[in-house]
Amino acid sequence: MRTILVIGIGAGNPEHVTMQAVHALNEVEVFFTLDKGSAKGDLNALRREICSRYIAPERSYRFVEARDPVRDEKVTSYDARVEAWHGERVEILERMLREELPEHGTGAFLVWGDPSLYDSTLRILDRIVARGQVPFVHRVIPGISSVQALAASHRIPLNRIGGAVHITTGRKLAEARAQEDVVVMLDGECAFKQLPGDAYDTYWGAYAGSEHELLRAGRLGELREEIERVRTAARAQRGWVMDTYLLRKREP
Ligand SMILES: C[S@@+](CC[C@H](N)C(=O)[O-])C[C@H]1O[C@@H](n2cnc3c(N)ncnc32)[C@H](O)[C@@H]1O
């Protein structure tokens, strides 16, 4: 039986890698990657750095990379578009596992941050399991997510005493207006611009936890233009930007 390890590698700092992840990395023969977009070069470089830093020199391993399918923008429904895209990924990964991993081998996916947050790897593996064509067992090794990295860099707890925290995406921020404390990820459109600036404080971070980290904290109304500017400049400079922010409703 094949074994697949889904290893959270943290949010961009090789020192986020946990001891549990280091042990797991040292079991792996084949690392699978399925990447796209402008961040690809940097993200793959980080994966390779993590492997060369933490895997014992006498162990041999290899990378197998497949081209990620492109989402079909002609499909107007977001859910249908993602569903079709995941379907294609299932086919590709299933083929990679069958062709590239020996029957008793151990393969791994190195997942940015933690696999539980806005990452499709586990959903895709569940679908491959359900198809029953390529049997394997899999384990998850948690990682430091960008949300934890953001909170640590700002030195804040995410929740207020006994309070809830809502985690969402930029696309769904408008639906989260009733929430007191909202963490927003995947916001390429700066959805925070639509909110009343006096009603919120924000704790924003790009490349949080890494050597390129950018942070801003304060009243949303005073920072939102600056954040948009800094974000745009960072993207122009590095070719990609990943940012996350907490919106904290101000006490009336
Ligand atoms: C596809 S999701 C992956 C999240 C990841 N699984 C995690 O646990 O952080 C990508 C989003 O994560 C956030 N993100 C990832 N790394 C980040 C970082 N170092 N700093 C700030 N946000 C980050 C951004 O919101 C980005 O759009």
Side-chain angles (χ1 to χ4, degrees):
M1 182 78 102
R2 296 169 173 89
T3 300
I4 305 293
L5 305 178
V6 181
I7 306 174
I9 57 168
N13 183 336
E15 298 205 346
H16 284 172
V17 174
T18 67
M19 286 310 296
Q20 189 185 9
V22 171
H23 291 305
L25 289 168
N26 279 277
E27 293 176 40
V28 177
E29 298 157 53
V30 186
F31 292 96
F32 295 102
T33 63
L34 197 54
D35 273 327
K36 68 173 170 71
S38 45
K40 178 180 163 177
D42 281 2
L43 303 198
N44 279 344
L46 180 78
R47 288 191 175 106
R48 284 173 192 275
E49 183 189 339
I50 283 172
C51 289
S52 60
R53 201 193 270 209
Y54 296 117
I55 296 179
E58 65 275 14
R59 284 203 56 92
S60 73
Y61 58 87
R62 65 198 172 91
F63 281 85
V64 172
E65 187 178 341
R67 278 232 317 265
D68 201 10
V70 178
R71 288 194 229 190
D72 185 354
E73 299 302 331
K74 291 197 293 298
V75 180
T76 45
S77 148
Y78 176 83
D79 289 345
R81 196 159 65 231
V82 171
E83 173 57 27
W85 180 51
H86 281 186
E88 280 185 71
R89 289 179 139 199
V90 166
E91 305 260 342
I92 292 170
L93 290 183
E94 188 182 77
R95 196 170 54 243
M96 280 164 83
L97 296 184
R98 187 191 305 111
E99 292 175 1
E100 302 287 350
L101 190 62
E103 266 198 40
H104 298 286
T106 299
F109 293 91
L110 301 183
V111 173
W112 192 264
D114 182 76
S116 68
L117 258 185
Y118 295 108
D119 185 89
S120 58
T121 309
L122 293 175
R123 262 183 283 271
I124 288 170
L125 290 180
D126 284 344
R127 285 174 62 165
I128 298 177
V129 169
R131 284 155 66 104
Q133 306 286 315
V134 184
F136 60 84
V137 291
H138 64 300
R139 294 192 338 248
V140 177
I141 290 87
I144 306 267
S145 78
S146 52
V147 178
Q148 292 162 287
L150 176 81
S153 293
H154 282 291
R155 297 169 292 166
I156 51 163
L158 291 173
N159 62 290
R160 284 180 261 195
I161 297 172
V165 181
H166 186 84
I167 302 179
T168 191
T169 63
R171 206 170 60 84
K172 298 232 168 182
L173 178 56
E175 295 169 20
R177 279 177 177 232
Q179 309 293 331
E180 296 291 311
D181 289 283
V182 183
V183 173
V184 185
M185 304 173 73
L186 289 162
D187 183 10
E189 307 297 323
C190 297
F192 53 81
K193 289 191 300 185
Q194 313 304 330
L195 296 178
D198 283 342
Y200 295 89
D201 286 325
T202 188
Y203 297 85
W204 175 85
Y207 319 108
S210 79
E211 60 178 320
H212 302 287
E213 174 175 272
L214 300 166
L215 299 173
R216 294 290 185 278
R219 186 84 62 100
L220 178 64
E222 290 167 8
L223 283 178
R224 56 187 166 190
E225 281 168 16
E226 182 183 342
I227 289 174
E228 192 177 13
R229 228 180 14 255
V230 169
R231 193 181 187 285
T232 306
R235 174 190 243 144
Q237 195 187 343
R238 290 196 72 194
W240 61 280
V241 62
M242 285 208 242
D243 61 331
T244 299
Y245 51 95
L246 172 70
L247 290 172
R248 173 151 285 165
K249 232 178 228 176
R250 295 173 61 82
E251 307 287 347

